[in-house]
Amino acid sequence: MFTFLLVVQAIIAAALVTVILMQRSEGGGLGVGGSPSGLMSARGAANFLTRATTILATLFVGLSVVLAVIASVQHAPSSIDTSLAKTAPAAPASNSAPPLAGGDPLAGAAQSIGNAAAPAAQAGNETVPLAN
């Protein structure tokens, strides 16, 4: 049904483009002259093309909404696939030393890894060369 409505949408779009191009514009357009009396007079053709444009545009927009609704209902997943879900990593062993008295939590972790001396904070920038 979706494919059928999609083909109908394409036919309506082509007809809409054709009807719009047939209308007479300020620059002359592609309007085809008709007999001076009856339905195909200049005024009758203009009224017919205007009505046809309105009807085709309404059908086009309405069918677009219907196709969008059908597409969202048909292609919606019925359940969530959890086969690729990541599992939480195992918690690391908690054999780290408690933080130092200075309140630096990273100092205790650095000592538990094997760094015997964590770098101490320097008072000044003596080791950083400055440009003169």
Side-chain angles (χ1 to χ4, degrees):
M1 180 169 151
F2 184 79
T3 306
F4 173 72
L5 290 178
L6 200 58
V7 170
V8 171
Q9 175 84 349
I11 292 170
I12 290 174
L16 185 60
V17 168
T18 304
V19 169
I20 289 173
L21 288 177
M22 286 175 44
Q23 292 180 8
R24 187 173 300 273
S25 65
E26 291 179 11
L30 296 177
V32 179
S35 63
S37 65
L39 178 66
M40 282 297 150
S41 66
R43 181 174 214 149
N47 287 339
F48 171 73
L49 292 176
T50 302
R51 287 182 183 158
T53 301
T54 304
I55 292 170
L56 287 172
T58 304
L59 287 173
F60 183 83
V61 170
L63 195 55
S64 296
V65 171
V66 169
L67 284 171
V69 169
I70 291 174
S72 67
V73 169
Q74 282 184 352
H75 299 295
S78 59
S79 65
I80 297 175
D81 184 17
T82 59
S83 64
L84 298 177
K86 291 184 178 180
T87 59
S94 63
N95 59 358
S96 63
L100 296 179
D104 185 10
L106 296 178
Q111 287 178 355
S112 69
I113 292 175
N115 297 338
Q122 294 185 1
N125 288 333
E126 291 83 20
T127 59
V128 177
L130 301 176
N132 292 330

